[in-house]
Amino acid sequence: MASAHIAGVGMTEFGEFPERTGRDLFGEAGGTAIEDAGIDREEIDALYVGNFMGELSENQGHMGPLMAKAVGIDAPATRIESACASGGMAVRQAVKDVRNGEADVVLVGGVERMHNMGTTGATGGLSVAADDLWEIRQGITFPGAYALMAQRYFAVHGGDREDLAHVAVKNHANAANNPLAQYQTEISVEKVLDAPPVALPMGLFDSSPITDGAAATVLVSEAYAEEHGLETPVAITGTGQGTDNLALAERDSMVWTPATEDAGRRAYEDAGISKDDVDFLEVHDCFTIAEVLAIEGLGFYEEGEGITAAREGETAADGELPVNLSGGLKAKGHPVGATGVAQISEMTKLFRGDHVNSDAVEDAEVGLTHNAGGTVASAVVHVLEVAE
Amino acid sequence: MSDDEISNDGYDQALDAIENGEPYALECPEGHQSMPPRQVCPECGASDLEEVEIPLSGELLSYNVTYVPTPDFGDDVPFVLGVAEFDDVRLTGRVQADAEDVEVGSAVEVGLGESETTGRPLVTFDLA
Ligand SMILES: [Zn+2]
């Protein structure tokens, strides 16, 4: 199947900017992506924007038209919502448009404003990605839900908080020199273990931070890139999506994520590759345990064996399979609706050689992004390849 | 429940049944069980669902100790939240015990309690 070529990427600094509105953040990221692509705004045929909780954080729905004008375009504009997978799902819609000929040039982005809600407000806002009746009314939070998965994992497969701490240590190390990351500091296993509890066994440093930010990408058809002499060194060659029961308790297993498995399998098939072709990953590490479940669900580790990957250095920048060279959600930050697009943006720069960690993947040809919503009731995977 | 709260058909009756010590699930002809409200079985789509009793006693599959709450549970923290299995259905609920006394695999009994913050009803698990 035809590929969607990546003509440009943009991302705001991720961090604590409670005074910045969604439109302001998106205007910056979208403008950066358009400038990076070197195209005229009038050339854009469609806009997709991922956002999860604008209604709750800044009393703002209907973001398609708002964000179109925030970047100065007239194209048909639509918001996509799938909790923390909103950004990745927006990318998937953009890829489909380019592939089926609906559009030659699509701007896809994501945005989230969170700090203005405060910690309790943001915790409440994020919780609405769960089942209201049987989870939210019982007091579930997202750190709490992933804590349930982690505790179950320890009981079924073994491992402990120290194993998970290595995931946080690795991702902080990857973010240390990333100028757009929220946490540009290395941490130790001890610091993770001694951090204040959020929902045990998840502590503060097992958790991705509350983050304000936006990211955007310009996707073009191969024909358009050729016609207009655009440099598109990276293309999205595969996309896949999976869906599961919304409530964690309704799943057959609390430690296996079929939505990730399905999204991965479909993306591999779509791109015509196998997992063995993949050189590096950006996965949805909203909590340390989430990275473990992701690398297992995507087939890189057997069930129950992914928990030692970070501790053994296998997923480090200099390991066999680098995971989250951007710093991941954990250290780069997690403005939820922007995350899936930020993964594409960061991976593109890693391939192009203009990312601070590009040296780690100098000869890489295939990368994979994995973005999940809720307790992985939604998952979306994209395969990125160096374009010939 | 406060008088001004909108009711939720199916859910409210299921909570009442838990409170009365007679919890039930919905079962399809294939034997799949799920919690209401449901128009169809979430597993197979069958619309012929009937109420079947589920046991009061179950097994705790996992738990956490929640310190950072949503606004509706601001006065409740810290609390232990668990997922427990009752034959073929699993429920999320408040474990009414100190964390140090709780283990994965603990036997629990389901009941009904309320949020200390809002007074809203919630599913509870007592260690058996
Ligand atoms: Zn059924």
Side-chain angles (χ1 to χ4, degrees):
Chain A
M1 182 140 358
S3 304
H5 285 236
I6 298 171
V9 297
M11 200 174 120
T12 65
E13 193 181 337
F14 280 8
E16 185 171 348
F17 311 111
E19 71 289 351
R20 292 194 72 178
T21 60
R23 68 192 78 183
D24 176 34
L25 291 163
F26 191 81
E28 180 190 331
T32 306
I34 292 167
E35 194 177 322
D36 187 45
I39 57 160
D40 291 330
R41 282 176 156 71
E42 306 84 73
E43 296 287 296
I44 295 171
D45 299 315
L47 168 67
Y48 292 99
V49 56
N51 175 264
F52 173 41
M53 54 181 185
E55 288 84 352
L56 301 173
S57 70
E58 55 179 355
N59 198 37
Q60 186 64 64
H62 206 177
M63 283 192 185
L66 183 73
M67 297 311 171
K69 285 304 168 187
V71 292
I73 63 175
D74 284 324
T78 311
R79 170 184 167 187
I80 304 291
E81 190 275 311
S82 289
C84 305
S86 299
M89 295 301 179
V91 171
R92 184 168 152 78
Q93 300 313 311
V95 169
K96 287 183 183 183
D97 270 12
V98 169
R99 280 178 156 184
N100 67 22
E102 169 85 18
D104 279 321
V105 184
V106 182
L107 178 65
V108 54
V111 59
E112 208 74 56
R113 184 183 187 184
M114 299 175 72
H115 270 104
N116 62 331
M117 304 174 82
T119 299
T120 307
T123 302
L126 291 168
S127 77
V128 308
D131 180 325
D132 175 43
L133 300 180
W134 295 107
E135 291 188 311
I136 301 172
R137 288 167 189 250
Q138 319 311 326
I140 208 163
T141 62
F142 266 90
Y146 278 89
L148 290 168
M149 296 163 97
Q151 190 84 277
R152 182 72 187 164
Y153 191 105
F154 297 159
V156 173
H157 296 308
D160 56 26
R161 285 197 68 210
E162 191 170 332
D163 292 317
L164 293 181
H166 284 275
V167 175
V169 170
K170 166 181 72 70
N171 292 347
H172 272 254
N174 287 343
N177 295 311
N178 184 344
L180 299 179
Q182 185 161 358
Y183 292 139
Q184 297 169 39
T185 47
E186 298 210 28
I187 54 170
S188 64
V189 166
E190 292 68 35
K191 181 159 182 169
V192 179
L193 295 177
D194 293 344
V198 178
L200 289 176
M202 295 292 96
L204 187 63
F205 280 100
D206 288 287
S207 310
S208 56
I210 293 168
T211 309
D212 306 303
T217 296
V218 177
L219 298 183
V220 300
S221 64
E222 189 170 6
Y224 183 92
E226 275 176 21
E227 243 169 72
H228 293 78
L230 295 182
E231 279 192 33
T232 57
V234 185
I236 299 177
T237 58
T239 177
Q241 181 177 348
T243 300
D244 199 354
N245 290 306
L246 183 62
L248 181 60
E250 289 173 0
R251 314 255 176 88
D252 289 338
S253 167
M254 297 173 73
V255 295
W256 182 252
T257 51
T260 290
E261 182 184 14
D262 291 344
R265 189 185 62 250
R266 289 165 185 158
Y268 298 145
E269 281 173 13
D270 189 31
I273 64 157
S274 84
K275 69 168 177 59
D276 298 329
D277 298 317
V278 177
D279 297 306
F280 68 115
L281 316 174
E282 288 286 320
V283 304
H284 197 92
D285 60 325
C286 51
F287 299 92
T288 47
I289 184 67
E291 179 168 311
V292 174
L293 300 179
I295 59 178
E296 291 181 4
L298 293 168
F300 296 98
Y301 287 83
E302 295 291 319
E303 181 176 354
E305 292 178 6
I307 194 161
T308 57
R311 194 186 68 202
E312 301 294 337
E314 294 158 6
T315 50
D318 60 356
E320 288 165 44
L321 182 73
V323 174
N324 286 327
L325 284 167
S326 70
L329 287 55
K330 175 67 204 74
K332 177 172 88 279
H334 182 28
V336 292
T339 282
V341 186
Q343 291 176 323
I344 302 287
S345 178
E346 290 283 280
M347 183 167 279
T348 299
K349 286 159 70 177
L350 282 159
F351 270 123
R352 294 194 313 202
D354 57 337
H355 191 281
V356 68
N357 290 329
S358 284
D359 285 352
V361 286
E362 218 169 354
D363 302 320
E365 290 183 354
V366 182
L368 184 149
T369 63
H370 161 265
N371 185 202
T375 45
V376 203
S378 292
V380 56
V381 170
H382 285 104
V383 176
L384 274 63
E385 295 188 62
V386 172
E388 298 305 323
Chain B
M1 197 183 301
S2 62
D3 293 337
D4 58 356
E5 178 126 21
I6 301 290
S7 62
N8 291 289
D9 282 349
Y11 175 73
D12 292 349
Q13 291 82 352
L15 290 193
D16 288 345
I18 290 170
E19 187 170 30
N20 297 331
E22 297 170 336
Y24 62 83
L26 301 179
E27 189 174 275
C28 77
E30 298 289 318
H32 305 131
Q33 293 187 355
S34 61
M35 295 304 290
R38 300 278 178 191
Q39 291 286 327
V40 300
C41 170
E43 290 301 308
C44 68
S47 57
D48 182 13
L49 305 179
E50 62 176 325
E51 292 177 9
V52 294
E53 265 184 50
I54 57 172
L56 276 170
S57 299
E59 178 192 343
L60 195 68
L61 297 181
S62 191
Y63 68 96
N64 72 42
V65 193
T66 300
Y67 288 85
V68 179
T70 57
D72 283 352
F73 292 88
D75 298 337
D76 291 56
V77 287
F79 60 81
V80 181
L81 186 81
V83 169
E85 187 165 58
F86 302 86
D87 276 359
D88 290 336
V89 290
R90 295 161 174 196
L91 294 170
T92 304
R94 173 80 58 87
V95 183
Q96 309 209 94
D98 291 333
E100 51 266 33
D101 299 326
V102 180
E103 286 178 11
V104 171
S106 291
V108 295
E109 185 159 303
V110 68
L112 201 73
E114 63 182 38
S115 159
E116 291 162 43
T117 312
T118 63
R120 244 187 190 179
L122 53 78
V123 174
T124 58
F125 302 141
D126 286 300
L127 295 181

